[in-house]
Structures are given as C-alpha cells and as structure tokens.
Short mmCIF file of all heavy atoms in Angstrom, two decimals:
data_model
loop_
_atom_site.label_atom_id
_atom_site.label_comp_id
_atom_site.label_asym_id
_atom_site.label_seq_id
_atom_site.Cartn_x
_atom_site.Cartn_y
_atom_site.Cartn_z
N TRP A 63 -52.37 38.05 2.53
CA TRP A 63 -53.39 38.02 3.56
C TRP A 63 -53.26 36.84 4.52
O TRP A 63 -54.01 36.78 5.51
CB TRP A 63 -54.79 37.98 2.93
CG TRP A 63 -55.24 39.31 2.45
CD1 TRP A 63 -55.25 39.74 1.16
CD2 TRP A 63 -55.73 40.40 3.23
NE1 TRP A 63 -55.71 41.04 1.08
CE2 TRP A 63 -56.03 41.46 2.35
CE3 TRP A 63 -55.95 40.58 4.60
CZ2 TRP A 63 -56.52 42.68 2.78
CZ3 TRP A 63 -56.46 41.81 5.03
CH2 TRP A 63 -56.74 42.83 4.12
N VAL A 64 -52.36 35.89 4.25
CA VAL A 64 -52.37 34.68 5.08
C VAL A 64 -51.29 34.60 6.15
O VAL A 64 -51.19 33.56 6.81
CB VAL A 64 -52.32 33.40 4.21
CG1 VAL A 64 -53.50 33.36 3.27
CG2 VAL A 64 -51.01 33.29 3.45
N PRO A 65 -50.48 35.63 6.41
CA PRO A 65 -49.63 35.53 7.60
C PRO A 65 -50.48 35.33 8.85
O PRO A 65 -51.52 35.99 9.02
CB PRO A 65 -48.89 36.87 7.64
CG PRO A 65 -48.88 37.33 6.23
CD PRO A 65 -50.18 36.87 5.66
N PHE A 66 -50.07 34.40 9.72
CA PHE A 66 -50.80 34.07 10.95
C PHE A 66 -52.21 33.53 10.64
O PHE A 66 -53.11 33.65 11.46
CB PHE A 66 -50.90 35.28 11.88
CG PHE A 66 -49.58 35.94 12.15
CD1 PHE A 66 -49.31 37.21 11.68
CD2 PHE A 66 -48.60 35.28 12.88
CE1 PHE A 66 -48.08 37.81 11.92
CE2 PHE A 66 -47.38 35.87 13.14
CZ PHE A 66 -47.12 37.15 12.65
N CYS A 67 -52.38 32.97 9.46
CA CYS A 67 -53.68 32.43 9.05
C CYS A 67 -53.47 31.02 8.52
O CYS A 67 -52.51 30.76 7.80
CB CYS A 67 -54.30 33.32 7.99
SG CYS A 67 -55.87 32.74 7.34
N ARG A 68 -54.37 30.10 8.86
CA ARG A 68 -54.22 28.72 8.43
C ARG A 68 -54.68 28.52 6.99
O ARG A 68 -54.38 27.50 6.37
CB ARG A 68 -55.02 27.80 9.35
CG ARG A 68 -54.41 27.67 10.75
CD ARG A 68 -55.36 27.02 11.73
NE ARG A 68 -55.86 25.73 11.28
CZ ARG A 68 -55.18 24.58 11.36
NH1 ARG A 68 -53.94 24.59 11.84
NH2 ARG A 68 -55.71 23.45 10.95
N GLU A 69 -55.39 29.48 6.44
CA GLU A 69 -55.89 29.36 5.06
C GLU A 69 -54.80 29.72 4.05
O GLU A 69 -53.85 30.43 4.36
CB GLU A 69 -57.09 30.28 4.86
CG GLU A 69 -58.32 29.90 5.66
CD GLU A 69 -59.51 30.74 5.27
OE1 GLU A 69 -59.49 31.95 5.53
OE2 GLU A 69 -60.45 30.17 4.70
N LEU A 70 -54.98 29.25 2.80
CA LEU A 70 -54.11 29.64 1.70
C LEU A 70 -54.73 30.79 0.90
O LEU A 70 -54.03 31.48 0.17
CB LEU A 70 -53.86 28.44 0.77
CG LEU A 70 -53.19 27.24 1.42
CD1 LEU A 70 -53.00 26.13 0.40
CD2 LEU A 70 -51.85 27.64 2.02
N TRP A 71 -56.03 30.94 1.03
CA TRP A 71 -56.74 32.06 0.43
C TRP A 71 -57.67 32.61 1.49
O TRP A 71 -58.47 31.88 2.05
CB TRP A 71 -57.54 31.62 -0.79
CG TRP A 71 -58.40 32.73 -1.33
CD1 TRP A 71 -59.69 33.02 -0.98
CD2 TRP A 71 -58.01 33.72 -2.27
NE1 TRP A 71 -60.13 34.13 -1.65
CE2 TRP A 71 -59.13 34.58 -2.46
CE3 TRP A 71 -56.84 33.97 -2.99
CZ2 TRP A 71 -59.08 35.67 -3.33
CZ3 TRP A 71 -56.81 35.05 -3.85
CH2 TRP A 71 -57.92 35.88 -4.02
N SER A 72 -57.58 33.88 1.77
CA SER A 72 -58.41 34.48 2.80
C SER A 72 -59.88 34.39 2.40
O SER A 72 -60.29 34.96 1.40
CB SER A 72 -58.02 35.94 3.03
OG SER A 72 -58.96 36.58 3.85
N SER A 73 -60.67 33.67 3.20
CA SER A 73 -62.09 33.52 2.89
C SER A 73 -62.86 34.82 3.11
O SER A 73 -64.05 34.90 2.77
CB SER A 73 -62.71 32.41 3.74
OG SER A 73 -62.14 31.16 3.39
N ALA A 74 -62.21 35.82 3.66
CA ALA A 74 -62.83 37.15 3.70
C ALA A 74 -62.97 37.71 2.29
O ALA A 74 -63.70 38.68 2.07
CB ALA A 74 -61.99 38.09 4.57
N GLU A 75 -62.26 37.10 1.34
CA GLU A 75 -62.29 37.55 -0.05
C GLU A 75 -63.13 36.63 -0.93
O GLU A 75 -62.94 36.59 -2.14
CB GLU A 75 -60.87 37.64 -0.60
CG GLU A 75 -59.95 38.56 0.16
CD GLU A 75 -58.50 38.43 -0.29
OE1 GLU A 75 -57.78 37.59 0.24
OE2 GLU A 75 -58.11 39.19 -1.20
N GLN A 76 -64.05 35.87 -0.36
CA GLN A 76 -64.85 34.97 -1.18
C GLN A 76 -65.83 35.74 -2.05
O GLN A 76 -66.25 36.86 -1.71
CB GLN A 76 -65.59 33.95 -0.31
CG GLN A 76 -66.49 34.51 0.75
CD GLN A 76 -67.02 33.41 1.66
OE1 GLN A 76 -67.49 32.39 1.18
NE2 GLN A 76 -66.93 33.61 2.96
N GLN A 77 -66.16 35.15 -3.20
CA GLN A 77 -67.03 35.77 -4.21
C GLN A 77 -66.48 37.13 -4.64
O GLN A 77 -67.22 38.10 -4.82
CB GLN A 77 -68.47 35.90 -3.69
CG GLN A 77 -69.15 34.55 -3.48
CD GLN A 77 -70.60 34.68 -3.07
OE1 GLN A 77 -70.90 35.10 -1.97
NE2 GLN A 77 -71.50 34.32 -3.97
N GLN A 78 -65.18 37.16 -4.84
CA GLN A 78 -64.49 38.38 -5.26
C GLN A 78 -63.95 38.17 -6.66
O GLN A 78 -63.38 37.13 -6.98
CB GLN A 78 -63.36 38.67 -4.28
CG GLN A 78 -62.58 39.93 -4.57
CD GLN A 78 -61.64 40.25 -3.44
OE1 GLN A 78 -62.07 40.40 -2.30
NE2 GLN A 78 -60.37 40.34 -3.73
N ASN A 79 -64.11 39.16 -7.53
CA ASN A 79 -63.63 39.05 -8.90
C ASN A 79 -62.11 39.12 -8.96
O ASN A 79 -61.49 39.86 -8.21
CB ASN A 79 -64.22 40.17 -9.75
CG ASN A 79 -65.73 40.13 -9.83
OD1 ASN A 79 -66.40 41.00 -9.30
ND2 ASN A 79 -66.26 39.13 -10.49
N TYR A 80 -61.53 38.34 -9.88
CA TYR A 80 -60.09 38.46 -10.13
C TYR A 80 -59.82 38.10 -11.58
O TYR A 80 -60.58 37.38 -12.22
CB TYR A 80 -59.28 37.58 -9.17
CG TYR A 80 -59.43 36.08 -9.36
CD1 TYR A 80 -58.46 35.34 -10.05
CD2 TYR A 80 -60.52 35.39 -8.83
CE1 TYR A 80 -58.59 33.97 -10.21
CE2 TYR A 80 -60.65 34.02 -8.98
CZ TYR A 80 -59.69 33.32 -9.67
OH TYR A 80 -59.81 31.95 -9.84
N LEU A 81 -58.72 38.63 -12.10
CA LEU A 81 -58.34 38.42 -13.50
C LEU A 81 -56.94 37.83 -13.57
O LEU A 81 -55.96 38.53 -13.31
CB LEU A 81 -58.38 39.74 -14.28
CG LEU A 81 -58.07 39.62 -15.77
CD1 LEU A 81 -59.19 38.89 -16.49
CD2 LEU A 81 -57.84 41.00 -16.40
N PRO A 82 -56.82 36.53 -13.90
CA PRO A 82 -55.48 35.93 -14.01
C PRO A 82 -54.77 36.39 -15.28
O PRO A 82 -55.40 36.54 -16.33
CB PRO A 82 -55.79 34.42 -14.07
CG PRO A 82 -57.23 34.28 -13.70
CD PRO A 82 -57.89 35.56 -14.08
N GLY A 83 -53.47 36.58 -15.16
CA GLY A 83 -52.66 36.89 -16.33
C GLY A 83 -52.07 35.61 -16.88
O GLY A 83 -50.89 35.31 -16.66
N VAL A 84 -52.87 34.82 -17.60
CA VAL A 84 -52.46 33.50 -18.08
C VAL A 84 -52.21 33.55 -19.58
O VAL A 84 -52.80 34.38 -20.29
CB VAL A 84 -53.53 32.44 -17.74
CG1 VAL A 84 -53.60 32.25 -16.22
CG2 VAL A 84 -54.90 32.83 -18.26
N PRO A 85 -51.35 32.66 -20.11
CA PRO A 85 -50.96 32.74 -21.52
C PRO A 85 -52.11 32.51 -22.48
O PRO A 85 -52.08 32.99 -23.62
CB PRO A 85 -49.88 31.66 -21.66
CG PRO A 85 -50.05 30.76 -20.49
CD PRO A 85 -50.59 31.61 -19.39
N GLU A 86 -53.15 31.77 -22.06
CA GLU A 86 -54.28 31.53 -22.94
C GLU A 86 -55.34 32.63 -22.85
O GLU A 86 -56.31 32.63 -23.60
CB GLU A 86 -54.94 30.18 -22.62
CG GLU A 86 -55.57 30.07 -21.24
CD GLU A 86 -54.62 29.60 -20.14
OE1 GLU A 86 -53.39 29.75 -20.33
OE2 GLU A 86 -55.10 29.07 -19.13
N GLY A 87 -55.14 33.57 -21.94
CA GLY A 87 -56.11 34.63 -21.73
C GLY A 87 -57.27 34.15 -20.87
O GLY A 87 -57.62 32.97 -20.87
N SER A 88 -57.86 35.06 -20.11
CA SER A 88 -58.94 34.69 -19.21
C SER A 88 -59.96 35.80 -19.09
O SER A 88 -59.62 36.98 -19.21
CB SER A 88 -58.37 34.36 -17.82
OG SER A 88 -59.41 34.13 -16.87
N ASP A 89 -61.21 35.41 -18.87
CA ASP A 89 -62.23 36.37 -18.50
C ASP A 89 -62.16 36.58 -17.00
O ASP A 89 -61.36 35.94 -16.30
CB ASP A 89 -63.61 35.85 -18.91
CG ASP A 89 -64.65 36.96 -19.03
OD1 ASP A 89 -64.35 38.10 -18.61
OD2 ASP A 89 -65.76 36.68 -19.51
N LEU A 90 -63.00 37.46 -16.46
CA LEU A 90 -63.06 37.64 -15.01
C LEU A 90 -63.46 36.33 -14.34
O LEU A 90 -64.34 35.62 -14.82
CB LEU A 90 -64.08 38.72 -14.64
CG LEU A 90 -63.64 40.18 -14.73
CD1 LEU A 90 -64.82 41.08 -14.36
CD2 LEU A 90 -62.46 40.47 -13.83
N CYS A 91 -62.79 36.02 -13.24
CA CYS A 91 -63.12 34.84 -12.45
C CYS A 91 -63.69 35.27 -11.11
O CYS A 91 -63.64 36.45 -10.74
CB CYS A 91 -61.87 33.98 -12.23
SG CYS A 91 -61.08 33.40 -13.75
N LEU A 92 -64.24 34.31 -10.36
CA LEU A 92 -64.85 34.59 -9.07
C LEU A 92 -64.24 33.66 -8.03
O LEU A 92 -64.18 32.43 -8.25
CB LEU A 92 -66.36 34.39 -9.14
CG LEU A 92 -67.20 35.02 -8.03
CD1 LEU A 92 -67.11 36.54 -8.08
CD2 LEU A 92 -68.66 34.59 -8.16
N THR A 93 -63.78 34.22 -6.93
CA THR A 93 -63.17 33.39 -5.89
C THR A 93 -64.23 32.49 -5.25
O THR A 93 -65.41 32.86 -5.18
CB THR A 93 -62.50 34.25 -4.81
OG1 THR A 93 -63.48 35.09 -4.20
CG2 THR A 93 -61.41 35.11 -5.40
N PRO A 94 -63.84 31.33 -4.77
CA PRO A 94 -64.83 30.35 -4.31
C PRO A 94 -65.48 30.74 -2.99
O PRO A 94 -64.93 31.48 -2.19
CB PRO A 94 -63.98 29.08 -4.13
CG PRO A 94 -62.58 29.58 -3.90
CD PRO A 94 -62.46 30.83 -4.72
N VAL A 95 -66.68 30.20 -2.81
CA VAL A 95 -67.40 30.35 -1.55
C VAL A 95 -66.85 29.33 -0.55
O VAL A 95 -66.58 28.19 -0.90
CB VAL A 95 -68.91 30.13 -1.74
CG1 VAL A 95 -69.64 30.13 -0.41
CG2 VAL A 95 -69.48 31.20 -2.65
N SER A 96 -66.65 29.76 0.68
CA SER A 96 -66.17 28.86 1.73
C SER A 96 -67.32 28.61 2.70
O SER A 96 -67.90 29.55 3.26
CB SER A 96 -64.98 29.49 2.47
OG SER A 96 -64.44 28.59 3.40
N ALA A 97 -67.66 27.34 2.89
CA ALA A 97 -68.82 26.96 3.70
C ALA A 97 -68.63 27.37 5.16
O ALA A 97 -67.49 27.43 5.66
CB ALA A 97 -69.05 25.45 3.61
#
C-alpha cells in the first residue's frame, strides 16, 4: 500500500485486525491509530 506514499503503514488501515505468524504464537492484534 505504500508506493508513492510517505508512510510505512497505510493509515487508511488503522484499527484493523491482523494476525502475525510468529514463532511464539500470537492472538489477533490491532493496527495503531494515527493522530
């Protein structure tokens, strides 16, 4: 989502659920709010 965008994470996707595939296992996470 960040081609031609100064952000590293599109803030259009704030407060969006995501599930990382990490070795310790993870519950659902929530993307941060951008002021």
Side-chain angles (χ1 to χ4, degrees):
W63 281 102
V64 302
F66 309 113
C67 177
R68 289 168 54 80
E69 294 188 293
L70 300 180
W71 173 270
S72 170
S73 295
E75 302 171 272
Q76 56 188 313
Q77 294 185 290
Q78 182 171 302
N79 299 112
Y80 68 100
L81 183 69
V84 293
E86 64 271 22
S88 174
D89 201 350
L90 279 178
C91 301
L92 198 65
T93 60
V95 173
S96 185

